[in-house]
Structure formats: C-alpha cells, structure tokens
Amino acid sequence: MDGRAPAAVLALVSALAVAVWATGAAEPPPLGDPGAAVRWGLPVVTGLGRGAAALTVGALVLCVALVSPTGQAGLWGALRRVASLAAGTWFVLQAAQLVLTFRDVLGGARLSAPAQQVGAFLDLGAGRTLVAATVLTALVAVATLVARQPGETLVAQLLCAAALLQLAGTGHTGGTAAHGAAVLGLWLHTLSACVWVGGLAALVLVVARRRRLRDGAAAESPDLSVLAGRYSAVAAWAFVVLALSGVFSLAVRVDAPSEVLGTAWGRLLLVKVVLLGVLGSFGALHRRHTLPLLRRGRPGAFRRLAAVEVLVMASVLGMSSALARTRPPHSEAPVDDSVVALTGYAAPPAPSVLSAVTELRLEPVTLLLAGSSLVVYLRWVRRVRAAGVAWPRHRTLAAVVGAVGLAWVTSGGLAVYGSVLLGAHRAQLLLVLAVLPVLYVAAAPVTLGLQALPVRDDGSVGPREWLQRAAESAVVAVLTRPLVAGAHAAAALTVTLLPPVRGLLLASDVASVIALLYLTAVGVLLAVALGRPGAQSEEPLGARLLAVLPLVASCVVLGLQLRTSTVLVEPGYYSRLALPWVDNPLVAQRTAGLVMLALGGVSALVLAWLAVRSRRATVDREPGVPVASP
C-alpha cells in the first residue's frame, strides 16, 4: 500500500492524543494509579483497535456485496486478504486492551495472587465482556483467513457485529439507567461507523490503488465508478444510521443536554459532530461531482477527495475512542426506586387504553428495523409501479401495519408494560411469534424485492442475489416445511419461558431484544410455511393445519400453568417491583395465564386462516423476472 495507510493511522493517533489530553482522560486517578503506560496506552490501543475493526468490516462489506468473487477474483482476494490482516491486527490490539484494562482495574497493585486477581477481574461485567470480545475477534480473524466465497465472508461479518456488540457494553454505557438501550444505540453507532469508514478506506487503499496499476499482479483494472456507486448507496444508509443512533445515544446517556457544552466531554463531542457534518458534505460532493467524473473516466478527483475523507474519518475515530474513555455528564445519585433499579425506567402509570398508546420506551434496533424495512418496501412499490407493474394495495397496507405493529410491540405501550407485567410480556412474545409475521407474509416482500431490485451481471452478489439465495436456500426449505416450522415455533416459545432464559430476559434488555428478533424470525418461517401459495407447495391443507397444533398446545400448557400456579414466577423480580396499582402479583400472574390462553386461541385462528387462504392464493407475478434495470 502507499502512504495513505500510515497517514490515516497518524491522524487517528494524533486526534486521540489531543482528545485524551483535552478531556483529562489520562490524568492520574486519586487512588490506584496504574501508571502512565496504562493510562495512555489503553486509549491508544482502543483507538487503533477501532480503526482495525473498521477496516475489517469495510473490506468484508466490499467482499460480501460489492465485488465479484469470480469476475474480479484478484480484487476480491486482495480485499479478503486486507480484511484478514486487519482482523488479525484487531485481535492483537483487543488482547492488548484486555491486558491493559486488567492492569487498570488493579490500579497500582502488584500481581501478587494471579488466580484471585484474575478471578476478581472476571467477576466484573466489563472483564467478562472484554474476554468475550477478544474471543470473537479471534474467530473473526480465523473466519476471514479461511473465507473463499461471499457466504463465508458474511459469516465473518456477523462475527464482527457480535464482537462490536460486546465492546458496546464496555465503557460508560453502564452509567445510564437505560443500560440496554444505551448499549444497543452505541452498537448501532459503532457498526454503522465501521461500515462507512472502513468501506471507504478499503475502496481507497485497495480498489482505487489497484485501478491505477498496470502490472501483471493487477491486470483486472476494476471499474471504480461501478464500485464507488455501489459503495455510495451503502454509505448513505450508514450515515443515516450513524446520525440517528448518535442522537439516540446522547439522549439516553446524558441527563441534562444543556450542560453538555460545559464539560470537556461535551466540547469534544461538539467537535466530533462538526467533523461528521463535514464528512456528510464530502459524501454529497461524491454523489454530485466525483461519481459523474468517475463515470466519464476521470478518477483523480475521487481519489483526492476520498483520501482526505479517510484522514478526517480516522481523526473522528480517535476522538470517539477518547469519548469512550471519558465519563459523560450524568447524575451519579444512587437509585432508590426499585422499578428504576430493576428495569432502568420509572414506573409507568396504571395500564389503560390511553397509556397503551402514549407510553413510549424507544428501542433502537427494532425501531431501525421497522422504519428502514418500511422505507425500503415503499421505495420498491414506487419502483415497480413506475415500471408499469401493478402492486396490490392490500399488500402495502399489510407492510405498513406490520412495521407499525413491530414498533409498538417493542417500543410502545406493550414494551413499557412488558417489563413490569408478566401478561404484557407474554403478549409481546406471542404477537411477534404468531400474529405480526402473518402481516409480513401478506406483504410479500420477497416477491416485491425480486421484481424491484436490479440483476447484477458481473458475478457480484447484490441485494437481489442475496434475497434470492435466501429464498432458495436448502436450510430455509427445511425450516419452512409446515411440521418443522410448527415444532420450531413451539420449541422456541417454550425455551424462551424456561426459568434460566426467562431470568436472563428480565435482567438484560439486550438479551430481550435478541429473543424478540429470534421469535420474529421463527414466526416468519412458520407464516411462510403456512402461507405459501398452493401452486408453490406440495403440502396438503391437513399438514398445514396440523403444524399449528404444537404452538397452540404450548400456549395452552403454559397458560394453564400460570392460571393454576400458587407460586410466583420470578419472585425476586415481580415481587420487588412493588407497583402501586398491582395489589397482588400472584393475581397479575393468573391474569397473564388468561392472556396467554386468549392470544394462543387468536394465534391459532390467524394461522389456520392463513393456511386455508394459501390454498387458493396465487403468486402476484413471476418472481424471477425483475422490472428494474441493472
């Protein structure tokens, strides 16, 4: 590589050093000074680790969705090697961060009793999280090293996301009451930044440089304008997610936004926001000026602007690392309210129709999923209608209602009461598992996407190709057999309500969101199995109706168990809440059993209706023929 990579590293370290000095993050603590090497080394290693993570994620994004592994095998292999090198560097830096954090926790103490001191470190949540992140980065390094096709690089990308989720749980996200929301918001912020920063860095360091070479090792001469145009669409989405998640993270982590500018942390944050605005303007310049110049065969302007953009991005990464090392301005007063201590939020008012609509508890991941999927769906509808293809209005209505329903179940009144009432929590699970997926299937997003998305003719795997691969996957074919899907749904619901898992979901908002997304996916598989048009399925109606029985049986058994039990479920949680409008938690638990029985019956009717209707349904349009041009 040329001098761009060292320049980016120098910009990152310089910005990090200035930010650490300005915020006082490396000043000696009043007690237990671990030494200057740890105080300065920890933020530097963290910042360089973020840079390596960004390059890993960005190079993998190009391998997964932008570059052809067949038509551009040399370029794809070069990007994969860059991802592997960056992932290995990330693992080394992450291991160093783990060691330095251990020394930081020890303070000035000597390593006199390693077993006891390491055990005490692992008893801390941050210690376990850093160990998990280090293990995951090692798996990322191995996955990128052995990857030889887009599907394998996608596995590495998912491992990157898991590692970044672990790292989002460290730092000062725990200083807020809404800890789970803060972690997920920071995870979205970090992941989108890695996609944006790392994608452009890989484009500049590998693709643009390779385009200029004319020796035997780089004979392919990739079309930079095509790849830059594809990356521009990815970067636009990443920037939107970055901005929204940044606003959300600030809102949940800071008690008084008006006091932010009165602290070094706030002033540094303001500088970061300004630089992000500058980067956003760079993106607009790319779309309006440099991409058209690229298409006309003049790549110089793109290379120069992108190189400057990478340097600014590296500086922002350095500042972000310093911010993660600095405590934001929030209240340190102890929490006396048991509801706040257990849920992270104040107790809601007594449930009513009005409060079910007005109460909000924003959950960033599912809100982003619901909002972005609806935006994409409506864009696809506009695209196919512009091409003269009719799209049924009832399908669009189903998509809108399904997206709004997901947002309400996970961020509205049901989510608010789901954290304090067992009945509302069980309603959440059943709605995402058995009711909302029917709306998703009725919207037919796969059929719509295969019509609206363009076909790529260069061998790369774009959105349409990934969608078609998923729809035709052998694994999906097995999981969407009615009896398999029905048994899977019943097992997923039962496992979610087992005592160890149930306790984890109450204790961790992150685990709760993962469980809701998993149940949503399981419900979609069941709805697809039952709702596949009769012309596309060999399963008789009886087999489809029989597939509903395991889920109904689970609802009946679990509901009756709650109705007849004299022992309180999770007494350490529900009895400690002491809600003023709940006289007896055991009565509320029996009401939860009634809710489960009722929703189990509703789910059975909805799923049975879907199975019966599917026998007469036909496909709206042959899904293999797209209406969009490449």
Side-chain angles (χ1 to χ4, degrees):
M1 293 185 184
D2 52 24
R4 293 189 182 97
V9 173
L10 179 61
L12 189 154
V13 174
S14 300
L16 176 62
V18 172
V20 169
W21 170 79
T23 58
E27 292 182 358
L31 298 174
D33 182 9
V38 174
R39 287 187 277 107
W40 282 96
L42 186 54
V44 170
V45 165
T46 302
L48 290 175
R50 290 193 178 199
L55 186 56
T56 303
V57 172
L60 288 175
V61 166
L62 268 62
C63 287
V64 168
L66 272 70
V67 177
S68 169
T70 54
Q72 298 169 324
L75 177 60
W76 194 91
L79 287 167
R80 199 268 307 166
R81 288 190 292 273
V82 167
S84 180
L85 178 61
T89 305
W90 184 16
F91 165 65
V92 172
L93 291 168
Q94 186 59 48
Q97 182 185 352
L98 176 62
V99 173
L100 290 173
T101 303
F102 174 63
R103 295 297 307 175
D104 190 33
V105 171
L106 284 182
R110 298 180 59 184
L111 191 62
S112 56
Q116 291 81 358
Q117 289 169 318
V118 171
F121 176 69
L122 294 178
D123 286 338
L124 299 174
R128 293 191 300 271
T129 299
L130 283 174
V131 170
T134 305
V135 172
L136 285 169
T137 53
L139 293 177
V140 170
V142 173
T144 54
L145 188 64
V146 302
R148 293 296 182 270
Q149 57 181 336
E152 294 170 352
T153 54
L154 179 61
V155 173
Q157 188 74 281
L158 295 175
L159 288 172
C160 286
L164 292 173
L165 178 58
Q166 290 294 323
L167 292 175
T170 62
H172 295 302
T173 52
T176 62
H179 173 65
V183 168
L184 292 171
L186 183 58
W187 173 65
L188 288 175
H189 194 67
T190 306
L191 182 60
S192 57
C194 287
V195 171
W196 184 30
V197 176
L200 184 62
L203 202 64
V204 171
L205 298 175
V206 181
V207 180
R209 177 178 181 270
R210 201 175 173 83
R211 177 65 176 84
R212 291 186 300 169
L213 298 178
R214 291 295 183 267
D215 55 23
E220 286 175 351
S221 184
D223 191 342
L224 182 58
S225 65
V226 173
L227 296 182
R230 291 174 181 172
Y231 165 76
S232 179
V234 174
W237 278 100
F239 181 77
V240 171
V241 175
L242 183 74
L244 293 177
S245 59
V247 172
F248 177 86
S249 296
L250 180 64
V252 298
R253 295 176 67 191
V254 176
D255 294 333
S258 60
E259 300 177 0
V260 168
L261 296 182
T263 64
W265 186 90
R267 289 189 290 270
L268 182 60
L269 178 66
L270 180 61
V271 174
K272 177 186 172 182
V273 170
V274 171
L275 289 179
L276 287 176
V278 172
L279 289 172
S281 66
F282 282 171
L285 285 174
H286 277 306
R287 299 178 75 90
R288 294 181 182 178
H289 298 290
T290 62
L291 290 182
L293 289 175
L294 262 179
R295 286 189 284 269
R296 293 198 293 268
R298 298 168 58 187
F302 172 82
R303 292 196 188 104
R304 290 189 293 271
L305 183 60
V308 174
E309 192 173 356
V310 168
L311 293 178
V312 177
M313 285 176 168
S315 301
V316 173
L317 279 179
M319 292 183 183
S320 299
S321 301
L323 285 172
R325 182 71 176 162
T326 310
R327 186 173 295 278
H330 59 71
S331 174
E332 298 291 342
V335 177
D336 295 327
D337 192 321
S338 60
V339 178
V340 176
L342 289 171
T343 69
Y345 299 89
S352 64
V353 175
L354 181 62
S355 64
V357 176
T358 58
E359 289 293 315
L360 295 175
R361 183 172 298 173
L362 302 185
E363 198 295 299
V365 173
T366 53
L367 272 182
L368 175 66
L369 179 63
S372 59
S373 62
L374 183 58
V375 169
V376 169
Y377 188 95
L378 295 178
R379 289 182 64 186
W380 287 352
V381 170
R382 185 176 65 178
R383 187 177 299 175
V384 298
R385 286 180 176 171
V389 178
W391 185 252
R393 295 184 182 275
H394 74 273
R395 295 202 180 277
T396 305
L397 179 62
V400 173
V401 176
V404 173
L406 179 63
W408 177 72
V409 167
T410 58
S411 295
L414 194 59
V416 172
Y417 290 102
S419 63
V420 296
L421 285 178
L422 183 60
H425 182 251
R426 297 292 170 92
Q428 267 188 300
L429 301 182
L430 284 173
L431 285 175
V432 300
L433 176 64
V435 178
L436 290 177
V438 174
L439 294 170
Y440 309 149
V441 171
V446 174
T447 302
L448 177 62
L450 293 177
Q451 295 179 46
L453 291 169
V455 177
R456 291 189 181 176
D457 55 5
D458 62 352
S460 63
V461 186
R464 187 183 191 278
E465 287 73 22
W466 279 116
L467 190 63
Q468 190 156 15
R469 284 188 178 191
E472 298 173 355
S473 166
V475 175
V476 172
V478 172
L479 292 178
T480 53
R481 291 176 182 172
L483 295 180
V484 174
H488 188 190
L493 180 63
T494 303
V495 169
T496 305
L497 299 179
L498 290 177
V501 180
R502 188 175 61 209
L504 176 63
L505 299 187
L506 291 175
S508 170
D509 288 342
V510 176
S512 179
V513 170
I514 293 174
L516 289 173
L517 293 177
Y518 168 64
L519 289 177
T520 300
V522 173
V524 169
L525 293 172
L526 177 59
V528 168
L530 299 177
R532 185 182 289 115
Q536 294 183 339
S537 175
E538 299 178 356
E539 299 287 347
L541 178 59
R544 297 193 185 199
L545 294 177
L546 188 62
V548 181
L549 292 182
L551 180 59
V552 175
S554 297
C555 292
V556 170
V557 171
L558 294 170
L560 290 176
Q561 184 181 23
L562 292 178
R563 288 290 293 171
T564 58
S565 177
T566 58
V567 179
L568 187 63
V569 171
E570 299 296 332
Y573 184 87
Y574 289 108
S575 62
R576 287 180 56 198
L577 287 173
L579 296 168
W581 37 267
V582 175
D583 296 328
N584 188 338
L586 191 58
V587 173
Q589 177 174 301
R590 290 172 179 167
T591 303
L594 184 61
V595 169
M596 198 158 192
L597 290 171
L599 278 179
V602 171
S603 301
L605 292 175
V606 170
L607 293 172
W609 169 83
L610 181 65
V612 172
R613 179 183 177 277
S614 67
R615 300 304 298 172
R616 301 189 300 269
T618 58
V619 183
D620 294 307
R621 175 186 171 89
E622 177 58 42
V625 183
V627 300
S629 58

